[in-house]
mmCIF file of all heavy atoms in Angstrom:
data_model
loop_
_atom_site.group_PDB
_atom_site.id
_atom_site.type_symbol
_atom_site.label_atom_id
_atom_site.label_comp_id
_atom_site.label_asym_id
_atom_site.label_seq_id
_atom_site.Cartn_x
_atom_site.Cartn_y
_atom_site.Cartn_z
ATOM 1 N N ASN A 19 101.140 97.740 117.731
ATOM 2 C CA ASN A 19 100.464 98.064 118.985
ATOM 3 C C ASN A 19 100.548 99.598 119.221
ATOM 4 O O ASN A 19 101.419 100.199 118.675
ATOM 5 C CB ASN A 19 101.234 97.418 120.129
ATOM 6 C CG ASN A 19 101.271 95.895 120.035
ATOM 7 O OD1 ASN A 19 100.179 95.241 120.140
ATOM 8 N ND2 ASN A 19 102.424 95.359 119.777
ATOM 9 N N HIS A 50 110.196 139.368 126.138
ATOM 10 C CA HIS A 50 109.391 140.584 126.846
ATOM 11 C C HIS A 50 110.093 140.804 128.182
ATOM 12 O O HIS A 50 110.346 141.970 128.560
ATOM 13 C CB HIS A 50 108.102 140.398 126.958
ATOM 14 C CG HIS A 50 107.223 141.478 127.537
ATOM 15 N ND1 HIS A 50 107.089 142.749 126.892
ATOM 16 C CD2 HIS A 50 106.544 141.665 128.724
ATOM 17 C CE1 HIS A 50 106.484 143.559 127.700
ATOM 18 N NE2 HIS A 50 106.047 142.999 128.823
ATOM 19 N N LEU A 85 95.750 135.392 119.913
ATOM 20 C CA LEU A 85 95.083 134.449 120.645
ATOM 21 C C LEU A 85 93.744 133.934 119.969
ATOM 22 O O LEU A 85 93.473 132.779 119.960
ATOM 23 C CB LEU A 85 94.666 135.128 122.038
ATOM 24 C CG LEU A 85 95.853 135.253 123.037
ATOM 25 C CD1 LEU A 85 95.326 136.013 124.237
ATOM 26 C CD2 LEU A 85 96.416 133.988 123.340
ATOM 27 N N LEU A 130 130.607 93.976 95.452
ATOM 28 C CA LEU A 130 131.281 93.957 96.609
ATOM 29 C C LEU A 130 131.284 92.877 97.613
ATOM 30 O O LEU A 130 131.731 92.897 98.625
ATOM 31 C CB LEU A 130 130.851 95.387 97.485
ATOM 32 C CG LEU A 130 130.822 96.640 96.718
ATOM 33 C CD1 LEU A 130 130.137 97.726 97.569
ATOM 34 C CD2 LEU A 130 132.276 97.057 96.377
ATOM 35 N N SER A 297 111.355 150.628 105.888
ATOM 36 C CA SER A 297 111.141 151.400 104.663
ATOM 37 C C SER A 297 112.313 151.519 103.858
ATOM 38 O O SER A 297 112.266 151.386 102.539
ATOM 39 C CB SER A 297 110.664 152.866 104.976
ATOM 40 O OG SER A 297 111.490 153.595 105.696
ATOM 41 N N TRP A 331 118.415 141.684 100.136
ATOM 42 C CA TRP A 331 118.760 143.008 100.341
ATOM 43 C C TRP A 331 120.310 143.201 99.949
ATOM 44 O O TRP A 331 121.172 142.290 100.397
ATOM 45 C CB TRP A 331 118.535 143.420 101.792
ATOM 46 C CG TRP A 331 118.807 144.908 102.105
ATOM 47 C CD1 TRP A 331 118.009 145.923 101.809
ATOM 48 C CD2 TRP A 331 119.952 145.371 102.844
ATOM 49 N NE1 TRP A 331 118.663 147.136 102.335
ATOM 50 C CE2 TRP A 331 119.888 146.905 102.816
ATOM 51 C CE3 TRP A 331 121.163 144.805 103.272
ATOM 52 C CZ2 TRP A 331 120.751 147.694 103.333
ATOM 53 C CZ3 TRP A 331 122.080 145.695 103.790
ATOM 54 C CH2 TRP A 331 121.862 147.077 103.834
#
Side-chain angles (χ1 to χ4, degrees):
N19 300 296
H50 181 69
L85 285 175
L130 302 179
S297 58
W331 186 77

